Amino acid sequence: MRKQLLFIALTAGLLASAPAQAGEKLTLLLDWFINPDHAPLITAQTKGFFEAEDLEVEIIEPADPAMPPKLVAAGRGDIAVSYQPTLHAQIEEELPLTRIGTLVETPLNSLIVLKDGPIRTLADLKGKTVGFSVSGFEDAMLGQMLRSVDLSIDDVELVNVNFALSGSLLSGQVDAVIGAYRNFELTQIEIEGKEGTAFYPEENGVPVFDELIYVVNNAKTEDPRFVSFLAAVEAATIYLTNHPDEAWEAFIEAYPHLDDELNKRAWSDTLPRFAKRPAALDAGRYQRFAEFMAEAGLIGKVVPVETYAVEIR
């Protein structure tokens, strides 16, 4: 009996002194520099939800925001954060990508004007200047919003302002900006001493879409790490919803350079928009948006949703 107890004690001691086994490694490529849009991911990292799923996740900010889905398609990353409109366009380009989950389940894109400016309704855009950053989808979105008030893209003057959306509006360079995020640019304008008004595409003729999604290489959709990843993100999102202040403190402890008024307010503004069931797929939403993209001439054909979007378990 004494020998058994000694053996158990020695075994327990060896186990306690042994290094913890490393989790499954996974590379996550972001769409942009870390910001409150990534709150569930950072919460999963800082609060141990990835670790609880035996994952070791490397979160990488992109040098070029256009590259993450392409790198994943080329097998040089496991998961990329991307955009639903971008996915439809890249499927058209025959990139081997599949959507496996959702990060932000509503549009963040909007058309923003100054509240004290000349535009009170979308119809007031006739003859006005509209700033944009990226042509293509933003043009199509604006065109559909204009059609909802019997105008067309020819009724406005488009001005490429690069990524200076708020600055170009505040300086009077343009009368409106398209592609501005309702959870950032509106607050940025207010911090600068003005007040903005947002017109939401999903309320003005554009089908609702997922702003941010997770995409993987087609050949890897059966990878069990992705099931664990989405389980961790779901748990982190629920924690974030229930404990936003604690999650914010962990966020700025990890990224102290983001501790400012803009990011703190964006944190609160984005909370309602995170997918509480990130693995869930609304196939009808993807079908409707693909049809919109085709009608706008952004893609040549509508392919079956199941060929580029799945619900993994």
CSV table of all heavy atoms in Angstrom, one decimal, residues 32 109 137 154-155 188-189 199 234 242 251 257 285 292:
chain,number,residue,atom,x,y,z
A,32,TRP,N,-7.7,44.0,-41.2
A,32,TRP,CA,-7.2,45.4,-41.0
A,32,TRP,C,-6.4,45.4,-39.7
A,32,TRP,O,-6.3,44.4,-39.0
A,32,TRP,CB,-8.4,46.4,-40.9
A,32,TRP,CG,-8.0,47.8,-41.0
A,32,TRP,CD1,-8.1,48.8,-40.0
A,32,TRP,CD2,-7.6,48.6,-42.2
A,32,TRP,NE1,-7.7,50.0,-40.4
A,32,TRP,CE2,-7.4,49.9,-41.8
A,32,TRP,CE3,-7.3,48.2,-43.5
A,32,TRP,CZ2,-7.0,50.9,-42.6
A,32,TRP,CZ3,-6.9,49.2,-44.4
A,32,TRP,CH2,-6.7,50.5,-43.9
A,109,ASN,N,-21.0,49.5,-43.2
A,109,ASN,CA,-20.9,50.5,-44.3
A,109,ASN,C,-22.1,51.4,-44.2
A,109,ASN,O,-23.2,51.0,-43.9
A,109,ASN,CB,-20.9,49.8,-45.6
A,109,ASN,CG,-19.5,49.9,-46.3
A,109,ASN,OD1,-19.0,51.0,-46.5
A,109,ASN,ND2,-18.9,48.7,-46.5
A,137,PHE,N,-17.7,47.9,-55.3
A,137,PHE,CA,-18.9,47.6,-54.4
A,137,PHE,C,-19.5,48.9,-53.9
A,137,PHE,O,-20.7,49.1,-53.8
A,137,PHE,CB,-18.5,46.7,-53.3
A,137,PHE,CG,-19.6,46.6,-52.2
A,137,PHE,CD1,-20.8,46.0,-52.6
A,137,PHE,CD2,-19.4,47.0,-50.9
A,137,PHE,CE1,-21.9,45.9,-51.7
A,137,PHE,CE2,-20.4,46.9,-50.0
A,137,PHE,CZ,-21.7,46.4,-50.4
A,154,ASP,N,-25.3,58.7,-62.0
A,154,ASP,CA,-25.0,59.9,-62.9
A,154,ASP,C,-25.4,61.2,-62.3
A,154,ASP,O,-25.0,62.3,-62.8
A,154,ASP,CB,-25.6,59.7,-64.3
A,154,ASP,CG,-25.0,58.5,-65.0
A,154,ASP,OD1,-23.8,58.2,-64.8
A,154,ASP,OD2,-25.7,57.9,-65.8
A,155,ASP,N,-26.3,61.1,-61.3
A,155,ASP,CA,-26.8,62.4,-60.7
A,155,ASP,C,-25.9,62.9,-59.6
A,155,ASP,O,-26.2,64.0,-59.0
A,155,ASP,CB,-28.2,62.1,-60.0
A,155,ASP,CG,-29.3,61.9,-61.1
A,155,ASP,OD1,-29.4,62.8,-62.0
A,155,ASP,OD2,-30.0,60.9,-61.0
A,188,GLN,N,-16.0,59.7,-35.0
A,188,GLN,CA,-14.8,60.6,-35.3
A,188,GLN,C,-15.2,62.0,-35.7
A,188,GLN,O,-14.6,63.0,-35.2
A,188,GLN,CB,-14.0,59.9,-36.5
A,188,GLN,CG,-12.7,60.5,-36.7
A,188,GLN,CD,-11.9,59.7,-37.8
A,188,GLN,OE1,-12.5,59.1,-38.7
A,188,GLN,NE2,-10.6,59.6,-37.6
A,189,ILE,N,-16.3,62.1,-36.4
A,189,ILE,CA,-16.8,63.4,-36.8
A,189,ILE,C,-17.3,64.2,-35.5
A,189,ILE,O,-17.0,65.4,-35.4
A,189,ILE,CB,-18.0,63.3,-37.8
A,189,ILE,CG1,-17.4,62.8,-39.2
A,189,ILE,CG2,-18.8,64.5,-37.9
A,189,ILE,CD1,-18.5,62.4,-40.1
A,199,PHE,N,-27.0,57.3,-43.5
A,199,PHE,CA,-28.0,56.6,-44.3
A,199,PHE,C,-27.5,55.2,-44.5
A,199,PHE,O,-26.4,55.0,-45.0
A,199,PHE,CB,-28.2,57.3,-45.6
A,199,PHE,CG,-28.7,58.7,-45.5
A,199,PHE,CD1,-27.9,59.8,-45.5
A,199,PHE,CD2,-30.1,59.0,-45.4
A,199,PHE,CE1,-28.4,61.1,-45.4
A,199,PHE,CE2,-30.6,60.3,-45.4
A,199,PHE,CZ,-29.7,61.3,-45.4
A,234,GLU,N,-17.5,31.9,-30.2
A,234,GLU,CA,-18.9,32.1,-29.7
A,234,GLU,C,-18.8,32.3,-28.2
A,234,GLU,O,-19.5,33.2,-27.7
A,234,GLU,CB,-19.7,30.8,-30.0
A,234,GLU,CG,-21.1,30.9,-29.5
A,234,GLU,CD,-22.0,29.7,-30.0
A,234,GLU,OE1,-21.8,29.3,-31.1
A,234,GLU,OE2,-22.8,29.3,-29.2
A,242,ASN,N,-21.9,39.9,-22.1
A,242,ASN,CA,-22.2,40.0,-20.7
A,242,ASN,C,-21.3,40.9,-19.9
A,242,ASN,O,-21.7,41.4,-18.9
A,242,ASN,CB,-22.3,38.6,-20.1
A,242,ASN,CG,-23.4,37.7,-20.7
A,242,ASN,OD1,-24.4,38.2,-21.2
A,242,ASN,ND2,-23.2,36.4,-20.6
A,251,PHE,N,-8.7,44.2,-23.4
A,251,PHE,CA,-8.3,44.6,-24.8
A,251,PHE,C,-7.3,45.7,-24.7
A,251,PHE,O,-6.2,45.6,-25.4
A,251,PHE,CB,-9.6,45.1,-25.5
A,251,PHE,CG,-9.4,45.6,-26.9
A,251,PHE,CD1,-9.3,44.7,-27.9
A,251,PHE,CD2,-9.3,47.0,-27.2
A,251,PHE,CE1,-9.2,45.2,-29.3
A,251,PHE,CE2,-9.2,47.5,-28.4
A,251,PHE,CZ,-9.1,46.6,-29.5
A,257,HIS,N,-2.1,51.2,-27.0
A,257,HIS,CA,-2.2,52.4,-27.9
A,257,HIS,C,-3.6,52.6,-28.5
A,257,HIS,O,-3.8,53.7,-29.1
A,257,HIS,CB,-1.2,52.1,-29.1
A,257,HIS,CG,-1.6,50.9,-30.0
A,257,HIS,ND1,-1.4,49.6,-29.6
A,257,HIS,CD2,-2.1,50.9,-31.2
A,257,HIS,CE1,-1.8,48.8,-30.5
A,257,HIS,NE2,-2.3,49.6,-31.5
A,285,ARG,N,-29.7,34.9,-47.2
A,285,ARG,CA,-29.0,36.2,-47.2
A,285,ARG,C,-27.9,36.2,-48.2
A,285,ARG,O,-27.8,37.2,-49.0
A,285,ARG,CB,-28.4,36.5,-45.8
A,285,ARG,CG,-27.5,37.7,-45.7
A,285,ARG,CD,-27.0,38.0,-44.4
A,285,ARG,NE,-28.0,38.4,-43.5
A,285,ARG,CZ,-27.8,39.0,-42.3
A,285,ARG,NH1,-26.6,39.2,-41.9
A,285,ARG,NH2,-28.8,39.4,-41.5
A,292,PHE,N,-27.9,40.5,-56.0
A,292,PHE,CA,-27.7,42.0,-56.1
A,292,PHE,C,-26.4,42.3,-56.7
A,292,PHE,O,-26.3,43.2,-57.6
A,292,PHE,CB,-27.7,42.6,-54.7
A,292,PHE,CG,-27.1,43.9,-54.6
A,292,PHE,CD1,-27.8,45.1,-55.1
A,292,PHE,CD2,-25.8,44.1,-54.0
A,292,PHE,CE1,-27.2,46.3,-55.0
A,292,PHE,CE2,-25.3,45.4,-53.9
A,292,PHE,CZ,-25.9,46.5,-54.4
